[in-house]
């Protein structure tokens, strides 16, 4: 069995599935999983001082260049959900992995990832994540 890589800067958020996120049969519409991942990504970046502030906004911006979600078990109205986010890589792009776990039903609901690119103030794509950002992510 291959050893699992450590989860860098692992961050966890918990939420309850609101009624507005479900379809007519009470199951969360698949697009809302990305909202849950975004909540965890925001908490992760905020914990690194990279939500907005001295670096993000005035000097650099992030934008999503890839996202994926692989569904394993549905989420239902009222379920309590744990969304875990962690860094996979930060050198060229910021690769954030996710696990969405249905605490109410004790089942993994989904896994996914998001890849962020960094741009300068003029929105020009940078080929590597700036050192200042890498240092905060890996601190």
């Amino acid at each position: 069995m291959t050893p699992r890589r450590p989860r860098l800067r692992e961050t966890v958020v918990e939420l309850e599935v609101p009624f507005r996120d479900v379809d007519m049969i009470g199951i969360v519409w698949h697009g809302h999983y990305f909202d849950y991942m975004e909540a965890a990504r925001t908490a992760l970046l905020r914990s690194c001082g990279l939500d907005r502030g001295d670096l993000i906004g005035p000097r650099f911006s992030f934008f999503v260049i890839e996202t994926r979600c692989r569904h394993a078990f549905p989420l239902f109205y009222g379920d309590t959900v744990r969304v875990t986010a962690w860094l996979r890589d930060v050198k060229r792009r910021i690769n954030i992995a996710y696990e969405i776990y249905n605490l109410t039903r004790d089942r993994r609901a989904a896994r996914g990832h998001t890849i962020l690119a960094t741009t300068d103030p003029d929105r020009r794509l940078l080929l590597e994540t700036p050192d200042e950002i890498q240092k905060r992510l890996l601190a």
Side-chain angles (χ1 to χ4, degrees):
M1 188 165 148
T2 307
R4 196 164 93 173
R5 291 189 303 177
R7 294 180 172 188
L8 301 174
R9 297 297 295 240
E10 185 173 300
T11 302
V12 175
V13 296
E14 288 189 10
L15 54 96
E16 181 178 309
V17 173
F19 181 74
R20 70 177 177 269
D21 287 358
V22 299
D23 61 18
M24 291 176 33
I25 57 174
I27 296 173
V28 171
W29 175 65
H30 67 278
H32 289 302
Y33 286 69
F34 294 102
D35 294 336
Y36 307 154
M37 292 189 301
E38 182 179 4
R41 179 176 68 245
T42 299
L44 173 66
L45 293 174
R46 187 173 290 143
S47 76
C48 301
L50 292 172
D51 185 27
R52 296 234 12 115
D54 62 322
L55 286 178
I56 305 306
R59 295 183 53 204
F60 303 104
S61 294
F62 294 139
F63 70 96
V64 175
I65 61 170
E66 181 178 312
T67 189
R68 179 170 186 204
C69 184
R70 184 174 179 99
H71 302 269
F73 186 79
L75 298 172
F76 301 88
Y77 168 65
D79 283 349
T80 302
V81 179
R82 179 182 63 224
V83 186
T84 307
W86 65 94
L87 297 168
R88 283 188 183 160
D89 187 33
V90 300
K91 181 76 174 153
R92 292 193 47 215
R93 302 287 183 262
I94 300 169
N95 187 329
I96 302 172
Y98 307 94
E99 180 178 72
I100 300 173
Y101 195 84
N102 187 328
L103 294 169
T104 302
R105 299 168 198 277
D106 196 27
R107 300 274 306 265
R108 183 176 64 229
R111 283 189 177 164
H113 74 262
T114 300
I115 299 176
L116 304 175
T118 308
T119 63
D120 68 12
D122 295 321
R123 303 283 196 240
R124 289 183 297 241
L125 179 67
L126 302 177
L127 299 178
E128 291 194 355
T129 304
D131 288 339
E132 304 100 311
I133 293 174
Q134 287 189 51
K135 286 176 186 170
R136 288 196 191 179
L137 291 168
L138 299 173

